[in-house]
Amino acid sequence: MATQKDFSGYTGTWCPGCGDWGIGVAIKSAFVQMGMDPSSVGVVFDIGCSGNMNDVLNAYAIHGLHGRSVPTAVGMKLAHHKMPVVVIGGDGGLYGEGGNHFLHASRGNHDITLIAHDNSVYGLTTGQVAPDAQKGYKSKSTPQGMIEVSLNPLALALTQGASFVAQGFAGDVTALIELIKKAIHHKGFSLVNVLQPCVTFNKVNTYQYYMQRIYTLDHSYDRTNYKLALEKTQEFNEEKYPIGILYQSDRPAYHEQIAHLPQDSSLRERPAFRDFGLLIDDFV
Ligand code: SF4
Ligand code: MG
């Protein structure tokens, strides 16, 4: 059985105190506790400080580009249905440049797990605002405050069809391990949005800030209630942050639906090169 050491690569380059350290420990612990080994899980890293977990985590992995980690992961899952596939990225890459991929992966209910490091900034490029920051957030790129409304990742995933929507906190590794395990175990698209203090460039959303505003969803919360989950996602606007699984349904995953499509052998025929040439002729 694999241990933390088997999943460990080089020493991380994150700033001391960065929330990424806690997320890294939680991911490795979840993999070990699920009985995985580095060759039984596919990991796709996005760009940014979160993507630098590529140095730290030893697994079958690809370091993707801005937000393109998501379709890469979808392709891995379609090629190998039984392999758990995990995307590790930041809010800049996944919700900014990769917003398109994020919403379509939600729609498809592709059976991948997104672990999003939500720190409201682009940390690696020294602190420009990310789209999910609070409106009015001041940064290098928004010196007078962010003008646009905030992108709400939990609401976006939920309304676009994600079947598992959760939120964790980098300062509570024990709870985060459990969330990540449940997300990977879930069949379908799972989002774990992790509130992750960037201690160097974000002086607003600190550990103290979150510890005063987070609360855990208890056993009385009904995670199958879509309308209730939608209400919970709106608490972000009041700077309240529920921790736990906001929503979970058993909607079939994309690859499971493919398996049930009627067989049509004509679809398997590849167009001959000659026919392709005729097609091109039509356009010239
Ligand atoms: Fe972490 Fe921010 Fe440093 Fe990046 S810049 S390693 S997100 S503290
Ligand atoms: Mg970020």
Side-chain angles (χ1 to χ4, degrees):
M1 178 154 161
T3 65
Q4 288 259 354
K5 201 173 165 200
D6 296 310
F7 280 105
S8 297
Y10 298 105
T11 304
T13 53
W14 296 311
C15 307
C18 174
D20 287 355
W21 294 103
I23 301 175
V25 169
I27 291 171
K28 278 190 220 170
S29 303
F31 287 175
V32 170
Q33 290 178 25
M34 292 181 82
M36 295 178 183
D37 64 63
S39 62
S40 67
V41 55
V43 179
V44 191
F45 297 98
D46 209 84
I47 289 288
C49 293
S50 54
N52 285 347
M53 198 178 289
N54 194 27
D55 303 335
V56 178
L57 185 66
N58 179 37
Y60 273 162
I62 296 173
H63 204 159
L65 288 175
H66 313 80
R68 277 64 181 178
S69 52
V70 176
T72 306
V74 166
M76 286 166 76
K77 189 70 192 188
L78 289 176
H80 192 337
H81 296 176
K82 290 188 177 158
M83 180 172 69
V85 179
V86 177
V87 174
I88 297 172
D91 47 4
L94 296 177
Y95 305 149
E97 298 104 332
N100 167 34
H101 301 303
F102 172 64
L103 74 89
H104 290 293
S106 299
R107 286 178 59 230
N109 199 28
H110 290 281
D111 186 22
I112 62 174
T113 296
L114 252 70
I115 301 175
H117 299 218
D118 175 352
N119 58 16
S120 302
V121 293
Y122 287 78
L124 196 65
T125 51
T126 71
Q128 297 79 7
V129 73
D132 55 340
Q134 289 284 352
K135 182 169 167 56
Y137 180 86
K138 290 186 178 170
S139 72
K140 280 184 180 171
S141 57
T142 51
Q144 297 189 59
M146 187 171 83
I147 293 169
E148 302 99 320
V149 296
S150 306
L151 183 147
N152 185 328
L154 300 174
L156 188 56
L158 187 64
T159 54
Q160 297 310 307
S163 54
F164 184 106
V165 180
Q167 185 156 257
F169 174 45
D172 186 349
V173 172
T174 306
L176 189 54
I177 293 169
E178 294 308 312
L179 271 187
I180 292 171
K181 286 193 310 194
K182 285 175 183 157
I184 294 173
H185 189 68
H186 175 78
K187 280 270 178 303
F189 183 83
S190 51
L191 169 69
V192 183
N193 185 67
V194 187
L195 306 170
Q196 176 247 317
C198 167
V199 295
T200 302
F201 294 111
N202 186 337
K203 304 299 182 188
V204 176
N205 305 110
T206 61
Y207 286 98
Q208 290 78 7
Y209 169 92
Y210 282 122
M211 287 177 43
Q212 288 164 3
R213 292 169 176 81
I214 60 173
Y215 70 95
T216 303
L217 295 169
D218 64 21
H219 292 299
S220 66
Y221 177 77
D222 179 6
R223 71 175 70 150
T224 66
N225 186 327
Y226 181 86
K227 283 187 180 168
L228 184 59
L230 202 50
E231 277 175 29
K232 287 284 167 201
T233 67
Q234 300 309 305
E235 292 183 359
F236 167 80
N237 298 318
E238 302 152 32
E239 297 187 71
K240 280 166 66 183
Y241 301 90
I243 299 294
I245 303 169
L246 277 74
Y247 183 70
Q248 185 168 17
S249 77
D250 57 4
R251 188 163 82 84
Y254 188 94
H255 70 275
E256 293 173 325
Q257 296 182 64
I258 286 181
H260 292 111
L261 290 177
Q263 294 293 312
D264 182 346
S265 58
S266 69
L267 294 176
R268 295 180 183 276
E269 288 172 14
R270 292 174 185 274
F273 183 72
R274 179 173 52 82
D275 297 336
F276 182 69
L278 291 173
L279 187 67
I280 295 294
D281 285 346
D282 283 347
F283 288 91
V284 292

